Amino acid sequence: MKKDYIKIGGKEYRVEVNWNALAAFLASVGRDSIEELANFNTIRPSEITSLIAACIIEGERLDGRKCNISALDLGAIITPNDVAAFMDIYVRQSSPELEVDESKKEEREVEPAS
């Protein structure tokens, strides 16, 4: 999987949407239950900076950097365009990747004999 980065307030941060980031986000907004992961479309706009902060902190950790950005600090510098860029990353990283069955792919590419 490729690494995703986002530039916010003139600084580039790695973004990682994984179990650590999701659990940290849920805990930070007081919704720390497995049901909340199943209903993740219930995220409120007021919570989006907490989600972005959790994903940035995790991405930076994975790149070997310590990042202590808070949702409050992030909210002071983030723009609607930054939120849109994050949502693109979030959707891509949180969507399941479907494996292509190579044998079926090859069958489709073979032209039928006339």
Side-chain angles (χ1 to χ4, degrees):
M1 182 167 77
K2 83 175 193 108
K3 297 177 183 180
D4 290 301
Y5 293 86
I6 190 169
K7 195 169 196 172
I8 299 174
K11 185 172 179 186
E12 188 170 77
Y13 300 96
R14 179 171 170 191
V15 176
E16 191 66 33
V17 180
N18 64 16
W19 188 262
N20 289 338
L22 295 176
F25 160 69
L26 289 173
S28 76
V29 295
R31 299 182 347 177
D32 195 15
S33 74
I34 200 74
E35 289 133 15
E36 295 296 336
L37 288 176
N39 297 316
F40 214 68
N41 60 346
T42 62
I43 185 171
R44 295 178 215 123
S46 61
E47 298 171 334
I48 197 76
T49 52
S50 295
L51 176 60
I52 297 170
C55 293
I56 285 174
I57 290 168
E58 178 64 5
E60 290 293 291
R61 183 189 73 80
L62 291 173
D63 267 1
R65 291 183 296 274
K66 188 167 176 82
C67 179
N68 293 322
I69 195 161
S70 71
L72 187 61
D73 294 336
L74 194 57
I77 59 173
I78 202 164
T79 68
N81 286 338
D82 297 330
V83 173
F86 169 78
M87 291 310 294
D88 286 342
I89 294 169
Y90 177 82
V91 168
R92 184 174 52 258
Q93 286 191 14
S94 63
S95 299
E97 290 184 29
L98 302 175
E99 293 185 24
V100 176
D101 185 344
E102 291 298 322
S103 63
K104 291 188 182 207
K105 183 179 174 184
E106 289 173 12
E107 288 173 12
R108 287 190 304 253
E109 291 174 355
V110 174
E111 293 290 323
S114 303

